[in-house]
């Protein structure tokens, strides 16, 4: 009898030890990010280290894990950024332009193999350049935004007062190609500016009207604008310590004229990468030989794109394997979004691994 009691006590002690060991390991696995608050704190520290001003959003499967504003939307009047503050997207606009082109192709209004002379018969190189060349940045058309010579011809006033679209089109078409179309990749905003004009020519609508009705409304984007309408965030040159209040991004057209916030941009990204936009299948446009298409870059792990202009520094990153999305919209000129994203992604992956070890531990904003 005594022996039975002894063995019973031993078994109970062993069971308690196993439970204690499991609990200890469970705590150790999650002690870095025991709650979403711990995770948010680690991200905030990174943002402070980089002197970040702007908005940030982290999401999984389209659900927000973390979103906030930091710093000022208006530095002079000390108006803070929040998650609904709108920013000029600049080159993040290219995704929308590309999606519109893919829809027009699906509707039979266009083919990616169509050449530009079909739409611009007076363009000397029109027979050599296809719609696909524009989407993939392989046309050889010079970039009127970054080319110093073309910027001088356009004049600085164009970036504050806008420019007549026909004058800009004539300037683009007057330039020699930098290489044989399709022979190499070289980034040029002119490609997507021309795609924006194509959308207007084919649909007989202005660019903003078409994008609103066919892309923004269907994906639930609520708060948006198109340059020359201003964003709520005002750019700040951190080197010169001066606000940039006068700019006109309409010169970018389909390459960079959209304005919105991180919350609405996530709605778009989630729809885009989950193939929820009718006739827009983004993954089909990428190959190992063609890592740029449809306003996005692909490095084998993530889709991403920067959106920089004047002093704004924006970027979007999407990891398809984990359905993780990182959006950074900043109105301060010193921000290096790619360097910042590397640190944020590292913390995000660590957090996701930890919370997946505990059923029901995940928390969303």
């Amino acid at each position: 009898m005594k022996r039975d009691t002894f063995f019973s006590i031993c078994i109970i002690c062993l069971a308690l030890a196993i439970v204690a060991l499991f609990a200890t390991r469970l705590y150790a696995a999650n002690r870095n990010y025991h709650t979403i608050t711990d995770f948010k704190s680690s991200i905030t520290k990174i943002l402070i280290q980089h002197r970040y001003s702007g908005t940030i959003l982290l999401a999984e499967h389209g659900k927000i894990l973390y979103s906030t504003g930091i710093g000022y939307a208006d530095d002079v009047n000390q108006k803070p950024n929040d998650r609904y503050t709108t920013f000029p997207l600049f080159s993040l606009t290219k995704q929308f332009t590309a999606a519109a082109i893919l829809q027009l192709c699906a509707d039979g209004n266009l083919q990616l193999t169509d050449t530009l002379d079909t739409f611009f018969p007076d363009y000397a190189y029109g027979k050599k350049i296809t719609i696909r060349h524009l989407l993939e940045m392989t046309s050889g058309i010079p970039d009127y935004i970054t080319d110093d010579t073309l910027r001088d011809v356009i004049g600085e006033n164009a970036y504050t007062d806008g420019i007549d679209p026909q004058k800009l089109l004539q300037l683009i078409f007057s330039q020699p190609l930098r290489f044989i179309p399709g022979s190499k990749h070289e980034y040029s905003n002119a490609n997507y500016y021309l795609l924006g004009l194509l959308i207007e020519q084919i649909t007989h609508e202005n660019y903003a009207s078409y994008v609103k009705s066919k892309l923004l409304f269907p994906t639930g984007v609520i708060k948006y604008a198109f340059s020359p309408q201003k964003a709520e965030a005002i750019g700040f040159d951190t080197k010169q310590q001066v606000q940039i209040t006068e700019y006109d991004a309409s010169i970018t057209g389909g390459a960079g004229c959209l304005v919105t916030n991180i919350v609405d941009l996530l709605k778009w990204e989630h729809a885009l990468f989950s193939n929820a936009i009718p006739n827009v299948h983004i993954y089909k446009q990428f190959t190992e030989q063609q890592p740029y298409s449809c306003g996005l870059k692909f490095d084998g792990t993530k889709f991403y794109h920067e959106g920089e202009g004047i002093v704004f520094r924006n970027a979007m990153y999407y990891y398809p394997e984990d359905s993780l999305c990182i959006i950074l919209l900043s109105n301060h000129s010193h921000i290096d979004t790619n360097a910042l994203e590397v640190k944020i992604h590292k913390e995000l992956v660590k957090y996701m691994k930890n919370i997946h070890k505990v059923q029901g531990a995940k928390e969303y904003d």
Side-chain angles (χ1 to χ4, degrees):
M1 186 71 177
K2 290 182 178 179
R3 181 178 295 178
D4 290 342
T5 303
F6 174 76
F7 279 121
S8 297
I9 293 173
C10 288
I11 291 172
I12 293 171
C13 290
L14 180 60
L16 290 173
I18 292 173
V19 171
L21 178 62
F22 176 76
T24 301
R25 288 185 176 180
L26 190 62
Y27 172 75
N30 293 279
R31 62 185 176 185
N32 290 331
Y33 297 128
H34 194 58
T35 66
I36 188 72
T37 302
D38 298 330
F39 170 64
K40 289 179 179 180
S41 177
S42 70
I43 297 298
T44 301
K45 287 179 182 178
I46 293 173
L47 297 175
I48 291 173
Q49 288 171 0
H50 283 254
R51 296 183 293 118
Y52 188 75
S53 177
T55 57
I56 175 175
L57 183 146
L58 312 178
E60 181 195 36
H61 296 295
K63 294 184 178 180
I64 298 173
L65 293 164
Y66 175 69
S67 65
T68 191
I70 188 169
Y72 295 116
D74 180 343
D75 284 80
V76 171
N77 295 305
Q78 296 190 339
K79 179 183 178 182
N81 282 307
D82 63 43
R83 61 193 286 183
Y84 297 108
T85 302
T86 59
F87 286 72
L89 297 186
F90 291 102
S91 286
L92 296 184
T93 303
K94 291 179 172 68
Q95 302 168 34
F96 297 82
T97 301
I101 291 294
L102 293 180
Q103 283 189 335
L104 292 173
C105 287
D107 292 340
N109 295 308
L110 187 66
Q111 294 184 51
L112 296 184
T113 53
D114 287 345
T115 52
L116 288 192
D117 62 303
T118 306
F119 310 96
F120 305 106
D122 296 331
Y123 183 30
Y125 304 107
K127 292 183 179 181
K128 299 180 180 180
I129 300 172
T130 66
I131 304 304
R132 185 178 293 281
H133 288 146
L134 299 182
L135 283 173
E136 297 178 349
M137 300 283 189
T138 58
S139 69
I141 301 173
D143 191 342
Y144 66 96
I145 298 293
T146 60
D147 186 289
D148 291 337
T149 302
L150 293 181
R151 284 178 65 93
D152 290 341
V153 174
I154 293 172
E156 289 300 322
N157 288 342
Y159 297 90
T160 55
D161 304 328
I163 188 173
D164 176 53
Q166 284 303 313
K167 178 182 178 182
L168 181 55
L169 185 63
Q170 291 172 7
L171 175 63
I172 293 172
F173 284 170
S174 69
Q175 303 302 307
L177 298 181
R178 290 178 53 81
F179 51 84
I180 297 172
S183 65
K184 62 181 290 190
H185 169 271
E186 185 175 88
Y187 193 89
S188 173
N189 287 285
N191 291 305
Y192 280 74
Y193 181 80
L194 293 176
L195 289 173
L197 295 181
L198 276 178
I199 292 168
E200 294 184 334
Q201 189 176 137
I202 293 169
T203 65
H204 304 292
E205 294 184 60
N206 65 49
Y207 177 85
S209 176
Y210 183 86
V211 170
K212 280 190 290 186
S213 63
K214 299 296 184 180
L215 300 175
L216 300 185
F217 290 167
T219 54
V221 175
I222 298 172
K223 196 173 181 181
Y224 60 84
F226 294 85
S227 192
Q229 288 180 271
K230 293 292 191 294
E232 293 166 344
I234 300 174
F236 189 79
D237 188 327
T238 51
K239 186 176 182 179
Q240 302 294 329
Q241 288 293 296
V242 62
Q243 257 187 349
I244 307 298
T245 57
E246 296 299 324
Y247 70 90
D248 186 343
S250 64
I251 190 174
T252 61
C257 67
L258 185 58
V259 172
T260 192
N261 59 54
I262 52 173
V263 175
D264 282 306
L265 186 54
L266 174 66
K267 296 174 186 176
W268 163 259
E269 301 298 355
H270 181 60
L272 181 67
F273 289 111
S274 60
N275 290 324
I277 305 172
N279 300 317
V280 179
H281 305 294
I282 206 74
Y283 299 104
K284 294 181 180 180
Q285 306 305 318
F286 289 84
T287 65
E288 290 183 6
Q289 292 73 37
Q290 184 50 53
Y292 188 102
S293 186
C294 298
L296 291 164
K297 304 171 186 178
F298 183 62
D299 64 4
T301 302
K302 65 181 179 293
F303 292 92
Y304 68 103
H305 209 288
E306 302 85 357
E308 300 186 354
I310 317 298
V311 294
F312 290 90
R313 303 290 181 261
N314 311 317
M316 183 288 305
Y317 308 84
Y318 180 77
Y319 292 81
E321 185 174 347
D322 303 312
S323 297
L324 295 177
C325 186
I326 299 173
I327 300 174
L328 300 167
L329 304 180
S330 174
N331 56 331
H332 276 206
S333 61
H334 71 278
I335 301 300
D336 183 339
T337 53
N338 288 328
L340 184 58
E341 188 272 340
V342 170
K343 295 181 180 179
I344 291 171
H345 179 251
K346 181 179 179 181
E347 296 299 314
L348 179 57
V349 169
K350 186 195 302 182
Y351 171 68
M352 298 309 296
K353 284 182 177 179
N354 283 339
I355 63 175
H356 284 154
K357 293 177 182 177
V358 183
Q359 291 296 324
K362 194 179 302 181
E363 300 176 55
Y364 294 107
D365 256 3

